[in-house]
């Protein structure tokens, strides 16, 4: 790696892309699977439907989102030098989704490609990692993807979780910029397992006991604990970030929060003292897509004409780990 040396401190998003499955599953459809109701789900979460993979894979969706982001950025696949995918649902332990994407997009062999596991905070962690890597190397363009097929780790007999999550991918192409700000703030609470998903490894190791013990690889969550963690950490993280940026909450044009629950977003808006209209929400038809939710939101905001050059953005993720992280940047 060549150290760049010049003070390019900010990060610019050149293009966005997203891809969600065509198959929309409504709350009414879930009523036929678990003891729930459209009224409970929509009033407690804001979700009315979510897209569920039906033939789509993490890779096919990530590839489509990445291609759209690269096209929107106006660059070629061969220009990409860093690929970071945030995901907890890659089909393989190895190779990473980033390496699979390198193959599918025909990217150069010299590309730096690896995955980031920070659950719903994954995309903002990946964006910050891309920013650091671009600053330390001579690389120009990074592709940052958040992509999940959460339906494959859902227990469709557990109404506490299966009604909340959806599948999809979002991607951005970024490069360093002298004129744009970029600040990041994060935290982890590894002592708290209220949101977890055990890995399934089928072992035939004859040298240790309990080798045949199989755990269901389903996501489990204590929703109200995570809710409390989310509202506390969003405020803490964003206030610390804005203080560092010397910007007040009212000066932010768009808050793009992880789409886990509309009540979390409304509570965050109140606690920050910022108008709710500045908080983008697509949870009604997307559900919670974990690491994919923020880049999907950015793409929907861009393609609907909601973003203007120079707009001040705060992105904020929170979830499994437990982790949280926020970014301050401009469009
Ligand atoms: O993206 C990662 C981060 N995840 C999150 O941020 C999720 C954060 N948590 C939440 O969004 C909310 O806590 C939930 C939506 C998960 C739950 O809402 P809540 O208002 O916190 O409900 P609760 O957990 O207090 O449950 C209330 C009741 C319980 O019944 P009892 O014990 O009071 O009789 C649940 O069994 O609601 C019941 N319940 C349901 N009822 C109908 C739980 N899930 C369902 C369901 N349908 N799907």
């Amino acid at each position: 790696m060549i150290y760049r040396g010049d003070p390019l401190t900010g990060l610019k998003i050149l293009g966005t892309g997203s891809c969600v499955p065509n198959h929309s599953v409504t709350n009414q459809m879930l009523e036929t699977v678990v003891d729930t109701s459209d009224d409970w789900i929509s009033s407690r979460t804001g979700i009315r439907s979510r897209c569920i993979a039906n033939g789509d894979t993490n890779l096919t969706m990530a590839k489509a989102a990445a291609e759209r982001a690269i096209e929107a950025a106006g660059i070629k696949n061969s220009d990409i030098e860093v690929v970071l995918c945030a995901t907890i649902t890659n089909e393989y332990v190895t190779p990473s989704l980033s390496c699979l994407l390198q193959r599918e997009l025909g990217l150069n062999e010299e590309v730096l490609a690896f995955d980031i596991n920070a659950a719903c905070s994954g995309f903002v962690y990946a964006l910050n990692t891309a920013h650091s890597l671009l600053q330390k190397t001579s690389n120009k363009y990074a592709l940052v993807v958040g992509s999940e097929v959460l339906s494959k780790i859902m227990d469709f007999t557990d109404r506490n979780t299966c009604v909340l999550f959806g599948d999809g991918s979002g991607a951005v192409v970024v490069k360093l910029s002298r004129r744009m700000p970029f600040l990041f703030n994060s935290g982890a609470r590894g002592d708290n397992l209220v949101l977890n998903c055990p890995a399934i490894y089928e072992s035939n190791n004859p040298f240790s006991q309990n080798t045949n013990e199989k755990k269901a690889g389903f996501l489990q969550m204590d929703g109200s604990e995570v809710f409390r963690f989310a509202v506390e950490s969003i405020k803490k993280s964003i206030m610390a970030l804005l203080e560092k940026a010397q910007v007040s909450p009212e000066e932010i044009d768009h808050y793009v929060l992880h789409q886990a629950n509309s009540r979390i977003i409304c509570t965050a808006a109140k606690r920050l003292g910022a108008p709710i209209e500045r908080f983008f929400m697509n949870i009604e038809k997307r559900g919670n897509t974990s690491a994919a939710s923020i880049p999907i939101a950015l793409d929907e905001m861009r393609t609907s004409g909601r973003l203007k050059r120079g707009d001040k953005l705060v992105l904020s993720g929170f979830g499994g780990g437990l982790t949280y992280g926020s970014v301050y940047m401009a469009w």
Side-chain angles (χ1 to χ4, degrees):
M1 303 279 179
I2 299 164
Y3 279 74
R4 185 188 287 276
D6 54 5
L8 291 173
T9 53
L11 197 70
K12 182 173 183 180
I13 296 178
L14 300 174
T16 65
S18 65
C19 174
V20 294
N22 284 328
H23 186 42
S24 171
V25 172
T26 61
N27 292 348
Q28 287 80 2
M29 288 159 84
L30 282 163
E31 286 174 4
T32 66
V33 176
V34 281
D35 180 15
T36 191
S37 65
D38 174 42
D39 183 51
W40 191 95
I41 304 170
S42 54
S43 62
R44 300 283 178 122
T45 69
I47 302 167
R48 293 192 181 275
S49 64
R50 70 289 292 141
C51 300
I52 297 289
N54 185 15
D56 320 80
T57 67
N58 201 329
L59 181 58
T60 58
M61 292 193 298
K63 182 185 178 200
E67 283 174 337
R68 288 166 194 164
I70 292 169
E71 191 187 347
I75 61 166
K76 301 187 295 299
N77 290 14
S78 56
D79 293 326
I80 299 290
E81 293 167 300
V82 175
V83 182
L84 299 177
C85 290
T87 187
I88 56 165
T89 51
N90 187 29
E91 264 114 274
Y92 294 91
V93 173
T94 187
S96 65
L97 180 60
S98 302
C99 283
L100 297 172
L101 210 46
Q102 181 257 341
R103 178 195 72 198
E104 286 295 306
L105 295 172
L107 307 182
N108 296 331
E109 186 180 323
E110 292 73 22
V111 83
L112 176 57
F114 63 96
D115 286 359
I116 287 184
N117 176 342
C120 310
S121 313
F123 179 76
V124 286
Y125 278 44
L127 207 54
N128 181 54
T129 308
H131 178 249
S132 306
L133 288 170
L134 292 177
Q135 282 195 311
K136 291 273 187 250
T137 68
S138 61
N139 295 330
K140 192 164 176 194
Y141 299 108
L143 173 66
V144 183
V145 179
S147 187
E148 302 288 9
V149 182
L150 294 164
S151 55
K152 79 184 174 192
I153 57 165
M154 275 311 116
D155 177 356
F156 279 92
T157 66
D158 177 11
R159 68 178 184 174
N160 291 296
T161 51
C162 75
V163 304
L164 304 174
F165 295 91
D167 302 330
S169 301
V172 298
V173 171
V174 292
K175 74 167 193 172
L176 294 178
S177 162
R178 275 194 184 81
R179 289 183 304 276
M180 313 290 256
F182 186 88
L183 289 171
F184 176 70
N185 160 294
S186 70
R189 287 279 312 279
D191 57 315
N192 200 332
L193 279 179
V194 289
L195 173 46
N196 72 76
C197 180
I200 321 173
Y201 298 108
E202 214 175 316
S203 168
N204 63 359
N205 170 5
F207 302 109
S208 71
Q209 290 176 349
N210 302 324
T211 52
N212 289 322
E213 187 192 324
K214 272 199 219 162
K215 297 184 212 160
F218 292 136
L219 188 137
Q220 304 152 14
M221 179 172 71
D222 178 340
S224 39
E225 275 293 316
V226 180
F227 193 108
R228 243 190 308 279
F229 166 79
V231 292
E232 278 163 20
S233 50
I234 294 168
K235 182 178 178 196
K236 184 167 59 181
S237 173
I238 294 179
M239 289 310 280
L241 195 67
L242 295 185
E243 197 175 317
K244 206 160 140 194
Q246 298 189 307
V247 174
S248 71
E250 310 84 72
E251 287 178 80
I252 298 300
D253 298 293
H254 306 282
Y255 289 88
V256 190
L257 269 50
H258 167 50
Q259 306 283 304
N261 187 321
S262 56
R263 288 192 294 135
I264 293 180
I265 297 177
C266 292
T267 308
K270 254 192 220 125
R271 291 195 180 185
L272 288 164
I276 188 66
E277 306 75 57
R278 303 215 187 140
F279 289 71
F280 179 79
M281 276 198 245
N282 63 1
I283 188 162
E284 188 176 346
K285 56 185 195 312
R286 300 273 169 257
N288 178 344
T289 57
S290 191
S293 82
I294 293 176
I296 291 174
L298 284 172
D299 189 48
E300 292 183 0
M301 291 169 77
R302 178 185 70 83
T303 51
S304 63
R306 204 168 158 141
L307 295 168
K308 293 189 304 297
R309 277 291 161 210
D311 279 355
K312 295 186 177 71
L313 306 181
V314 164
L315 319 179
S316 189
F318 50 87
L322 296 172
T323 56
Y324 60 84
S326 304
V327 161
Y328 167 67
M329 65 190 304
W331 181 250

